[in-house]
């Protein structure tokens, strides 16, 4: 997904570009299934095995980690290879190095509309934490379902 598309989607929910970038920082934890980005690391073009915006060693490591993804569709890798289980600003520090797993992640650094925010959050963890907190609070108010229209899930990843 392009940065323009991301900006448009987030804007439709009332978020500005800075808030979008801050919320994307949630990718500092969690994982992505190999099938979601496999087209960027296998046979990307006739001239390149992988998307050239990847760090070449990182792309090679992803190909090795995801080698069996077609046989095992649950195969996944951490979004942040440096501090995968820590909520910090390492995700933003990784982007200029070509270590963003999703093309939309890597595009945040290459696009002039978002690059300054990536650089700010990469160099100032407190700025990221503050912006993320404000944006998450705003996100918590988007499309809230109440009464019979809503539900409190017993498991976050499944409907009751």
């Amino acid at each position: 997904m392009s940065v323009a598309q991301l900006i448009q989607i987030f804007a439709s929910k009332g978020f500005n570009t800075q808030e979008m970038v801050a919320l994307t920082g949630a990718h500092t934890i969690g994982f992505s299934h190999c099938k979601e980005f496999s087209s960027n690391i296998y046979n990307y073009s006739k001239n390149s095995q992988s998307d050239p915006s990847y760090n070449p060693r990182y792309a090679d490591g992803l190909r090795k980690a995801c080698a069996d993804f077609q046989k095992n569709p649950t195969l996944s890798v951490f979004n942040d290879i440096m501090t995968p289980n820590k909520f910090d600003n390492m995700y933003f520090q990784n982007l200029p190095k070509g270590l963003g797993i999703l093309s939309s992640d890597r595009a945040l650094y290459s696009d002039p509309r978002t690059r300054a925010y990536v650089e700010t959050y990469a160099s100032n963890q407190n700025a990221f934490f503050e912006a993320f907190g404000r944006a998450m609070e705003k996100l918590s108010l988007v499309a809230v379902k109440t009464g019979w229209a809503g539900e409190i899930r017993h498991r976050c990843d499944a409907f009751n």
Side-chain angles (χ1 to χ4, degrees):
M1 187 174 295
S2 72
V3 171
Q5 290 170 307
L6 289 171
I7 290 172
Q8 182 179 21
I9 290 168
F10 277 82
S12 75
K13 303 293 182 190
F15 293 94
N16 64 35
T17 302
Q18 181 180 10
E19 292 165 330
M20 176 198 73
V21 174
L23 287 171
T24 306
H27 290 179
T28 192
I29 55 175
F31 58 88
S32 292
H33 289 96
C34 295
K35 66 181 178 181
E36 300 302 326
F37 58 89
S38 62
S39 63
N40 291 322
I41 59 172
Y42 295 108
N43 304 314
Y44 181 75
S45 71
K46 67 179 183 178
N47 298 326
S48 180
Q49 177 74 356
S50 60
D51 181 332
S53 66
Y54 276 115
N55 174 298
R57 288 182 58 213
Y58 182 53
D60 187 49
L62 289 173
R63 280 192 295 279
K64 289 175 184 168
C66 295
D68 291 329
F69 85 95
Q70 289 179 323
K71 295 176 189 169
N72 180 0
T74 63
L75 201 57
S76 58
V77 294
F78 288 116
N79 291 334
D80 174 355
I81 61 168
M82 303 304 226
T83 57
N85 296 311
K86 184 178 179 188
F87 190 84
D88 58 14
N89 67 336
M90 188 58 69
Y91 162 81
F92 292 108
Q93 293 178 41
N94 289 341
L95 297 182
K97 301 171 187 171
L99 302 177
I101 200 155
L102 303 175
S103 58
S104 58
D105 294 332
R106 293 185 313 283
L108 292 177
Y109 184 71
S110 62
D111 192 288
R113 294 169 291 184
T114 51
R115 185 179 189 144
Y117 300 122
V118 170
E119 290 173 338
T120 296
Y121 300 150
S123 65
N124 186 336
Q125 183 166 272
N126 286 333
F128 164 55
F129 285 171
E130 289 172 18
F132 182 82
R134 286 190 307 273
M136 278 299 294
E137 186 175 5
K138 187 173 176 178
L139 181 62
S140 74
L141 302 174
V142 173
V144 175
K145 295 179 180 179
T146 60
W148 293 106
E151 73 177 357
I152 298 173
R153 293 185 181 185
H154 301 289
R155 281 186 47 170
C156 294
D157 63 344
F159 295 107
N160 293 337

